[in-house]
Amino acid sequence: MAVLMWGKKKKNESFTPLRDAGGDMPAPSVPIHQPPAAHGPSAPALKELVRKRLMTDMLRGFTADDMGSVMLVDSLTVRILSGAYKLSELLEENINLVENITARDAAGSYLGRQPMPNMTACYFITPTVESINRMLADYKDKRSPMYGKCHVFLSSRLSDALLAKIKAHNIIKYVATFKEINLEYVLAEDNCFVLDSPQSLPLLFAPEESPTLTRTR
């Protein structure tokens, strides 16, 4: 056995010399790299957070009638909803039907929907002019509205102008819930989402040519 003396240290420390033949260094007894130990429970997947948000703030935020309720969505919110829930899961929450109020046929006209005046309506829509107008059109007939009472959930902030338009409309007599969910991205996978905004990059990286462009950014 070889003995190595280091400085004034008197304690003998052994080491394994290189092999006389072959010149191979023996493998270290402890791995050079070890993965860090896990600390605490892992964070929930984004999909689970979205599901919980929709369930707590919307689906269970109102009590449907005995006949159930119909959910009205638009071209964006239908993707948000379908990315988090299956139709069978919505049926368990007393949602009997999901319809897209902005869907159009091949000729460009809005698709017709069956009036259901005895059913509760749950609107989950984006606060755009088109979606708000489509919702208001369902209640334009004061004697025979499309649905009964309604619960309105918006994917983001509603402008003051559109809010004033809703308050002045016949629908205001039927609104039982009015809430901004602030959930406007589409789940692609459990932990991956898209903003569905193809103009984002050109807008964010465009040269600042005017104050208007800066405010828009």
Side-chain angles (χ1 to χ4, degrees), residues 102-119:
T102 57
R104 298 173 182 266
D105 58 21
S109 301
Y110 289 113
L111 296 178
R113 287 175 281 127
Q114 179 69 30
M116 301 177 182
N118 296 324
M119 292 189 67

Side-chain angles (χ1 to χ4, degrees), residues 28-202:
S29 58
V30 180
I32 296 176
H33 173 73
Q34 293 181 339
H39 298 283
S42 59
L46 178 62
K47 182 176 182 178
E48 291 304 315
L49 296 176
V50 172
R51 284 171 57 89
K52 183 178 180 180
R53 180 73 180 278
L54 291 174
M55 182 63 68
T56 303
D57 292 355
M58 185 174 67
L59 297 177
R60 292 181 180 171
F62 66 94
T63 302
D65 295 333
D66 294 338
M67 295 183 64
S69 59
V70 55
M71 174 161 286
L72 291 313
V73 293
D74 56 28
S75 57
L76 176 59
T77 55
V78 68
R79 297 175 60 201
I80 298 174
L81 191 65
S82 62
Y85 284 97
K86 298 178 181 179
L87 184 58
S88 59
E89 294 175 313
L90 296 178
L91 288 173
E92 294 176 358
E93 299 300 325
N94 214 14
I95 303 293
N96 295 338
L97 181 66
V98 178
E99 291 195 293
N100 187 347
I101 62 176
T102 57
R104 298 173 182 266
D105 58 21
S109 301
Y110 289 113
L111 296 178
R113 287 175 281 127
Q114 179 69 30
M116 301 177 182
N118 296 324
M119 292 189 67
T120 298
C122 174
Y123 288 89
F124 178 38
I125 56 177
T126 52
T128 61
V129 173
E130 180 187 23
S131 295
I132 295 299
N133 284 341
R134 292 295 295 154
M135 179 182 70
L136 298 182
D138 291 343
Y139 290 86
K140 65 180 180 180
D141 191 337
K142 296 182 179 180
R143 295 185 177 182
S144 182
M146 183 78 75
Y147 309 103
K149 65 181 179 181
C150 64
H151 304 270
V152 182
F153 300 92
L154 303 171
S155 61
S156 59
R157 183 183 180 277
L158 182 69
S159 68
D160 294 339
L162 289 177
L163 177 60
K165 189 173 184 178
I166 294 173
K167 293 168 68 175
H169 195 271
N170 180 58
I171 194 176
I172 199 65
K173 298 186 298 183
Y174 297 88
V175 175
T177 304
F178 193 89
K179 191 172 185 179
E180 294 174 349
I181 297 294
N182 293 321
L183 181 61
E184 208 162 76
Y185 53 85
V186 179
L187 288 170
E189 297 178 6
D190 286 355
N191 279 315
C192 178
F193 68 93
V194 294
L195 297 177
D196 203 28
S197 180
Q199 297 302 319
S200 292
L201 289 178

